[in-house]
Amino acid sequence: MDLARYFSLRRKTTGSHNSTHAAHGKDRTYLPLLASPINEDVLEVVSGNSSDLEKVNTHTSTLDSSNDTATFAGNGRASRGNIIVYKQHTEASTIELFYDLFFVANLAYFTAMHQHTDAECMYSSHILDTLANRLLALINYIKLFTLMWFTWLSVTLFDVRFSIDCVWNRFHKAIQFGIFTGFVYAGPVFDKYSTSGVEKSYRNFAIVLVIGRIAIAVQYAVVMWQGRMFRQTLIPLGLSAGVHAAAAICYAVTMVVFPKGRVGLEEQLAWYVIYSAFGF
Amino acid sequence: MRRVIISIIEGLLIFLIAMIWRIISFKYTHLAERLQLLTLIIIGEGIIGMVKSVACVTKSQTSNNMSEIGTVIAAILLLVCKQTLMSRQQH
């Protein structure tokens, strides 16, 4: 209707409906640097007298028995009397869907690469060689997909619970976009037919994974710090951060300790299975 | 292979933590919706591959035989069935 508001911010305040637009402009706030995922209602309840969640729990449940609310009470409480400490999301945000696009772009790239290697497998002389090569290419594809999906899962499991739109979380999303772009290093590692530069990509890919997991661990640690008044959340959040940090360390260990051998264990296994299945 | 195992263990541990300490559970989150959307996008990737293959088949020859047409129809029917299943799951 009022096209002027799409054009510039200044015209909005100096327009004909000056008072309403000024009020609308006042509503417009800047993106916070670091938003807290804690429910404000729970904070209000806690700031009364006790900082212990058990007391608050009984407090609100006795309070709520007089109100008899169905599923969600106003003060951040679930049906069974458990306090919902963190803000709820009802649907996926745009940046999460954008993150899915990065996943799919990677998937498209590796699917095309898989078809390419599949075509090269056709030129082997022996039928069983062809079969084994195809199986290996498939295993490589599944491995790569698993790695990508679990990377996506780690980020998503954090996002659905604790992600609030703020500069800090957007910065971490940008890091995760970079991580998925860094998956290009995984291409030569899982491509059986390109032998050039495998060691270098293997190392770089480990660095990419380590950075991604450290970023998620830091995010969990920040949420833990933000909710430090709820003692019950400290252990699980600390453990989650610890799991991701430990995974980062493990990836770093795979980079340093185990260099990429030419013939892996699963490769030998695949050949063994193929050749024993056909009685050679 | 080791990295794949590490990542699987990592994901399962995060789920385990959320299952033991219910205060950070996934009960009221939109995790199911996110997984559905990702599945949809991955199926879209599959459709791209299918259409590419169909284009490849029709490009290389002048006349199509019945088995190729049948394969294409079967692929489309499979996608339709998958879509029906997904939309049923939503409600």
Side-chain angles (χ1 to χ4, degrees):
Chain A
M1 318 327 140
D2 189 9
L3 283 179
R5 69 193 175 122
Y6 294 111
F7 295 146
S8 81
L9 206 68
R10 183 156 303 178
R11 195 177 298 175
K12 185 198 296 183
T13 51
T14 58
S16 58
H17 306 289
N18 205 344
S19 60
T20 58
H21 280 179
H24 185 257
K26 205 177 285 178
D27 284 343
R28 206 183 154 88
T29 53
Y30 290 105
L31 194 66
L33 205 62
L34 178 58
S36 172
I38 310 286
N39 249 334
E40 286 96 350
D41 302 330
V42 179
L43 276 182
E44 280 175 17
V45 173
V46 169
S47 62
N49 43 14
S50 64
S51 64
D52 196 12
L53 204 58
E54 305 280 357
K55 286 182 193 170
V56 176
N57 226 334
T58 55
H59 174 64
T60 51
S61 62
T62 51
L63 199 150
D64 194 71
S65 56
S66 56
N67 292 351
D68 71 334
T69 43
T71 50
F72 285 102
N75 49 2
R77 212 192 52 80
S79 56
R80 288 180 306 158
N82 291 325
I83 284 188
I84 300 176
V85 177
Y86 298 101
K87 283 176 186 161
Q88 306 289 306
H89 309 267
T90 48
E91 53 191 24
S93 61
T94 318
I95 199 163
E96 290 175 52
L97 297 179
F98 200 67
Y99 184 57
D100 286 3
L101 291 185
F102 271 83
F103 179 91
V104 173
N106 263 296
L107 192 65
Y109 170 64
F110 290 122
T111 308
M113 199 185 75
H114 178 67
Q115 283 167 352
H116 166 71
T117 56
D118 222 24
E120 278 188 43
C121 288
M122 296 291 284
Y123 296 118
S124 291
S125 54
H126 200 278
I127 177 78
L128 287 185
D129 288 2
T130 310
L131 212 58
N133 276 333
R134 272 174 173 274
L135 188 67
L136 281 175
L138 186 66
I139 287 173
N140 271 337
Y141 183 67
I142 291 172
K143 273 159 63 179
L144 194 54
F145 181 83
T146 313
L147 257 179
M148 268 168 58
W149 192 75
F150 274 97
T151 305
W152 177 88
L153 188 75
S154 303
V155 176
T156 303
L157 290 189
F158 178 85
D159 277 347
V160 297
R161 291 179 291 182
F162 309 117
S163 180
I164 299 292
D165 195 19
C166 62
V167 173
W168 170 251
N169 279 337
R170 285 194 191 184
F171 169 69
H172 275 277
K173 263 289 182 286
I175 291 180
Q176 298 300 338
F177 293 162
I179 297 304
F180 260 136
T181 313
F183 261 77
V184 291
Y185 286 124
V189 176
F190 291 99
D191 189 353
K192 207 175 157 302
Y193 291 89
S194 105
T195 52
S196 61
V198 171
E199 278 82 9
K200 190 164 170 291
S201 344
Y202 188 76
R203 208 173 52 240
N204 288 341
F205 183 46
I207 293 170
V208 164
L209 286 174
V210 166
I211 292 172
R213 295 302 147 76
I214 285 175
I216 302 172
V218 168
Q219 273 188 304
Y220 272 112
V222 166
V223 170
M224 190 171 115
W225 177 74
Q226 284 172 329
R228 62 194 178 281
M229 68 283 288
F230 303 106
R231 282 178 216 149
Q232 287 180 343
T233 65
L234 291 184
I235 297 170
L237 286 178
L239 275 180
S240 303
V243 164
H244 285 301
I249 292 170
C250 288
Y251 290 130
V253 166
T254 63
M255 171 176 69
V256 177
V257 177
F258 309 106
K260 176 81 174 166
R262 277 262 55 88
V263 179
L265 178 68
E266 68 269 17
E267 190 156 348
Q268 293 168 354
L269 202 68
W271 286 96
Y272 177 75
V273 167
I274 289 287
Y275 273 89
S276 60
F278 288 92
F280 278 87
Chain B
M1 199 64 198
R2 296 177 196 93
R3 287 172 186 177
V4 177
I5 292 170
I6 291 169
S7 68
I8 290 174
I9 291 172
E10 181 190 7
L12 290 182
L13 276 180
I14 294 293
F15 269 117
L16 199 68
I17 289 169
M19 274 154 69
I20 293 173
W21 285 275
R22 297 298 295 172
I23 198 154
I24 58 164
S25 72
F26 299 101
K27 191 165 185 186
Y28 299 107
T29 59
H30 58 283
L31 182 64
E33 188 202 340
R34 295 276 294 129
L35 288 173
Q36 269 178 0
L37 287 174
L38 189 76
T39 314
L40 200 69
I41 291 179
I42 290 174
I43 290 175
E45 178 61 33
I47 293 173
I48 293 174
M50 189 204 75
V51 171
K52 261 185 194 167
S53 308
V54 171
C56 214
V57 165
T58 53
K59 196 167 61 181
S60 57
Q61 54 202 10
T62 50
S63 67
N64 297 310
N65 60 13
M66 289 317 273
S67 75
E68 281 164 358
I69 294 172
T71 311
V72 170
I73 290 173
I76 291 170
L77 272 181
L78 200 66
L79 286 172
V80 168
C81 291
K82 180 78 192 99
Q83 203 275 328
T84 316
L85 272 179
M86 272 186 73
S87 64
R88 182 178 291 176
Q89 256 177 8
Q90 264 176 355
H91 301 305

